[in-house]
């Protein structure tokens, strides 16, 4: 994928534990408000801004140890009580280390955890609030808690027994699993993928503190060059003279309906007066459930989309977002939007049922399909972000391509669901011409050809691409 690499009022509860942060060198953006074109009353107005949006708290909080000190910190880590990291824990260390969760400085202490669960926001020392809708926490069990004893620091080690980080000024508190699950997902029904993977069997204690990450997190999977940090993305947007950045998160292959939405968004931004809006195509790269297309295959598919000219490489930056996926609907989509602010995006495209999934027990969707975009328009701490709701795209039989749905002639449109798309690919059948570029579709067919269905008919983890 070498070709794609070139794209590129105070409150009584405690404030977030970080230093007061000055403005960044990007400077404040000059804003002119433009009403949203909608028949209904809009909660927000789209804002034309002259510079990159500031990170939450005013500055990116990057937690990497300076290179000259790394050997010293490795030696220190070897002398401290150890906490082992799961794959998902390591992904959260990655997220924190690069500033995606700014101004958070490490795994959450109890006051930050409670604010996140109950308010979906963190109160800063100056009384302002930033959005934070999902807990970023580290669980430990009774034996680990006992080994830590009265130490004020612990060392975090990966599954290969390599020191990854030091967590200092620690606080250990109870892990209220049921409440965490209920407030994050709105249900405690069995079968929630992230819960099964990361919470149910986790320890009964949470440990918070400030992180010192010893070295940049790498996965050595051939995709590290696409894992641009918020600082690197901001540098890329500045190099490209971007005066607007619109982010599109996805965990699925890109079809021409997605591309239509992204190109139409750019057209709308140009009409608003922006000169060079840049698309951040930002596939999620952390944990996903077993029947999602794995990251390596998705990246191959995205490359084919760009090679085919479906999206313009000159106005598109492709990067991987390192966060794990919760499938927590309107709660989680706030985290997805907030993290993109820290990467410099001032527009966020949101579709139907963002971050949603089917109910794990009942035959229905877990969340209302429209609630995600409604919540984003009202969420505390996201007032600076312009939310761009999806237009509904479907396959227009009269034009032989994906087009925005016209309710005056519904008989002309074919809706191809994700389930239908997967079935076609598994059976090596072609979708209608114009649904997805040929090269991208061939990657999808190759992926499903590489997996052997389990006895229950579900698709397991695929072999690497």
């Amino acid at each position: 994928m070498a070709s794609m690499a070139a794209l590129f009022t105070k409150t009584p509860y405690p404030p977030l534990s970080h230093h007061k942060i000055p403005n960044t060198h990007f400077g404040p953006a000059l804003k002119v408000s433009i009403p949203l074109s909608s028949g209904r009353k809009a909660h927000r107005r789209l804002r034309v801004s002259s510079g990159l949006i500031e990170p939450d708290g005013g500055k990116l909080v990057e937690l990497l140890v300076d290179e000259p000190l790394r050997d010293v910190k490795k030696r220190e880590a070897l002398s401290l009580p150890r906490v082992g990291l799961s794959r998902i824990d390591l992904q959260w260390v990655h997220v924190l280390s690069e500033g995606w969760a700014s101004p958070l400085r490490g795994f959450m202490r109890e006051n930050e955890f409670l604010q996140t669960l109950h308010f979906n926001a963190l109160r800063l020392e100056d009384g302002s609030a930033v959005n934070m809708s999902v807990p970023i926490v580290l669980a430990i069990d009774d034996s680990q808690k006992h080994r830590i004893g009265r130490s004020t620091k612990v060392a975090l080690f990966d599954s290969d027994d390599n020191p990854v980080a030091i967590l200092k000024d620690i606080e250990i508190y109870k892990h209220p699993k049921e409440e965490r699950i209920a407030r994050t997902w709105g249900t405690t029904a069995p079968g929630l993928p992230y819960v099964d993977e990361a919470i149910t069997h986790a320890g009964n204690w949470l440990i918070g503190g400030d992180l010192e990450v010893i070295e940049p997190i790498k996965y050595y999977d051939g995709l590290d060059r696409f894992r641009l940090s918020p600082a690197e993305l901001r540098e890329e947007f500045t190099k490209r003279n971007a005066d607007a950045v619109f982010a599109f998160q996805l965990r699925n292959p890109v079809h021409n309906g997605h591309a239509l939405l992204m190109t139409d968004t750019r057209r709308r931004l140009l009409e608003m007066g922006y000169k060079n809006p840049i698309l951040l195509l930002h596939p999620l790269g952390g944990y996903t459930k077993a029947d999602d297309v794995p990251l390596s295959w998705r990246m191959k598919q995205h490359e084919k989309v760009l090679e085919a000219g479906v999206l313009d490489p000159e106005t598109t930056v492709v990067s991987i977002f390192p966060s794990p996926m919760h499938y927590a609907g309107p709660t989680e989509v706030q985290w997805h939007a907030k993290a993109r602010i820290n990467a410099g995006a001032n527009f966020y495209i949101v579709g139907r049922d963002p971050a949603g999934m089917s109910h794990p027990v009942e035959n229905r969707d877990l969340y209302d399909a429209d609630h995600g975009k409604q919540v984003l328009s009202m969420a505390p701490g996201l007032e600076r972000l312009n939310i761009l709701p999806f237009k509904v795209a479907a396959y227009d039989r009269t034009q032989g391509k994906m087009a925005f749905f016209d309710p005056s002639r519904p008989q002309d449109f074919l809706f191809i669901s994700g389930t239908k798309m997967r079935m076609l690919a598994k059976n090596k059948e072609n979708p209608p011409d114009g649904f997805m570029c040929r090269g991208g579709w061939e990657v999808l067919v190759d992926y499903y050809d590489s997996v052997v269905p389990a006895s229950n008919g579900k698709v397991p983890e695929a072999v690497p691409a």
Side-chain angles (χ1 to χ4, degrees):
M1 277 183 281
S3 62
M4 198 161 67
L7 303 175
F8 291 70
T9 14
K10 305 267 185 182
T11 64
Y13 52 86
L16 180 67
S17 54
H18 71 95
H19 301 294
K20 194 166 183 178
I21 296 171
N23 289 337
T24 70
H25 66 278
F26 289 105
L30 301 176
K31 298 178 180 177
V32 178
S33 294
I34 295 180
L36 282 162
S37 56
S38 171
R40 295 181 298 177
K41 184 177 178 181
H43 291 281
R44 298 224 179 125
R45 296 161 72 87
L46 295 180
R47 296 177 289 276
V48 175
S49 307
S50 66
L52 291 179
I53 190 171
E54 286 190 343
D56 276 344
K59 182 181 179 181
L60 282 175
V61 176
E62 297 176 286
L63 304 175
L64 280 170
V65 172
D66 291 337
E67 193 163 359
L69 298 176
R70 288 176 185 172
D71 287 340
V72 173
K73 290 297 179 180
K74 285 180 183 178
R75 288 195 295 271
E76 181 183 358
L78 295 173
S79 69
L80 295 171
R82 296 188 180 196
V83 172
L85 298 174
S86 69
R87 176 178 57 137
I88 289 179
D89 294 334
L90 185 64
Q91 291 167 2
W92 283 124
V93 171
H94 186 177
V95 166
L96 290 164
S97 71
E98 294 183 341
W100 295 101
S102 294
L104 205 59
R105 302 195 68 88
F107 285 107
M108 290 178 175
R109 296 181 174 92
E110 189 171 30
N111 74 77
E112 296 157 346
F113 174 69
L114 291 175
Q115 290 179 65
T116 298
L117 278 190
H118 291 271
F119 311 128
N120 285 359
L122 297 173
R123 184 71 70 188
L124 305 186
E125 291 176 348
D126 63 1
S128 64
V130 297
N131 191 271
M132 182 56 71
S133 62
V134 297
I136 302 180
V137 292
L138 180 61
I140 58 173
D141 60 25
D142 291 348
S143 62
Q144 289 173 311
K145 180 176 181 291
H146 178 74
R147 285 198 301 271
I148 292 167
R150 296 191 176 188
S151 177
T152 61
K153 296 181 180 181
V154 296
L156 309 183
F157 281 72
D158 66 16
S159 59
D160 294 324
D161 207 31
N162 298 311
V164 172
I166 292 172
L167 193 65
K168 63 182 185 178
D169 299 326
I170 61 172
E171 176 185 338
I172 297 175
Y173 55 101
K174 288 184 178 180
H175 185 183
K177 294 182 184 180
E178 183 177 23
E179 182 182 8
R180 177 185 174 188
I181 295 165
R183 289 190 176 276
T184 303
W185 281 269
T187 180
T188 56
L192 297 168
Y194 186 94
V195 172
D196 290 346
E197 185 76 17
I199 299 179
T200 301
H201 304 293
N204 293 322
W205 303 92
L206 297 176
I207 181 169
D210 293 345
L211 265 179
E212 295 178 311
V213 181
I214 296 171
E215 291 182 327
I217 304 299
K218 300 295 181 184
Y219 300 85
Y220 304 104
D221 57 358
L223 300 175
D224 283 331
R225 66 189 185 277
F226 296 112
R227 293 184 173 96
L228 302 183
S229 69
E232 290 169 332
L233 285 168
R234 286 174 171 271
E235 182 179 0
E236 180 66 21
F237 299 144
T238 301
K239 285 180 182 176
R240 295 192 185 209
N241 295 314
D243 57 354
V245 176
F246 58 108
F248 185 81
Q249 168 169 298
L250 65 168
R251 65 175 200 271
N252 293 305
V254 174
H255 58 62
N256 289 354
H258 296 137
L260 173 65
L261 176 67
M262 289 181 265
T263 54
D264 185 70
T265 297
R266 189 170 195 276
R267 177 193 61 78
R268 290 165 59 195
L269 293 175
L270 290 169
E271 289 179 353
M272 288 171 58
Y274 288 101
K275 302 301 183 185
N276 191 29
I278 296 294
L279 166 65
L280 172 58
L281 184 66
H282 215 195
L284 184 135
Y287 162 80
T288 54
K289 55 190 175 69
D291 60 351
D292 281 352
V293 178
L295 177 65
S296 58
W297 289 92
R298 285 185 276 131
M299 293 299 287
K300 286 180 67 175
Q301 195 269 349
H302 300 345
E303 178 186 23
K304 296 298 183 183
V305 168
L306 288 157
E307 286 179 355
V310 177
L311 293 172
D312 183 0
E314 295 300 318
T315 58
T316 304
V317 174
V318 181
S319 182
I320 294 171
F321 179 44
S323 176
M325 187 76 194
H326 281 63
Y327 305 91
T331 297
E332 184 176 16
V333 74
Q334 296 174 66
W335 158 242
H336 294 165
K338 172 248 170 47
R340 275 38 180 249
I341 291 176
N342 287 331
N346 53 342
F347 290 88
Y348 187 78
I349 301 173
V350 59
R352 293 184 74 259
D353 197 19
M357 58 173 280
S358 298
H359 195 286
V361 177
E362 302 174 17
N363 186 25
R364 62 179 177 85
D365 289 337
L366 186 53
Y367 305 105
D368 185 291
D370 292 325
H371 282 181
K373 63 184 178 184
Q374 289 178 241
V375 167
L376 280 184
S377 72
M378 302 179 288
L382 294 181
E383 294 84 2
R384 299 181 299 136
L385 187 65
N386 298 297
I387 306 302
L388 300 171
F390 259 41
K391 292 181 180 179
V392 178
Y395 187 79
D396 187 342
R397 294 185 178 96
T398 65
Q399 300 185 59
K401 65 179 184 179
M402 298 296 286
F404 292 125
F405 178 69
D406 183 351
S408 69
R409 49 185 185 93
Q411 69 282 357
D412 293 335
F413 288 86
L414 174 65
F415 287 90
I416 302 175
S417 66
T419 301
K420 175 68 172 175
M421 182 178 70
R422 287 190 292 271
M423 184 179 299
L424 290 172
K426 288 176 189 176
N427 295 333
K428 299 184 181 181
E429 299 176 24
N430 290 324
D433 288 342
F435 172 74
M436 184 184 291
C437 70
R438 180 170 296 277
W441 183 255
E442 289 174 352
V443 170
L444 202 55
V445 171
D446 288 345
Y447 159 65
Y448 283 109
D449 197 40
S450 77
V451 298
V452 179
S455 58
N456 61 6
K458 292 185 178 180
V459 176
E461 293 282 357
V463 298

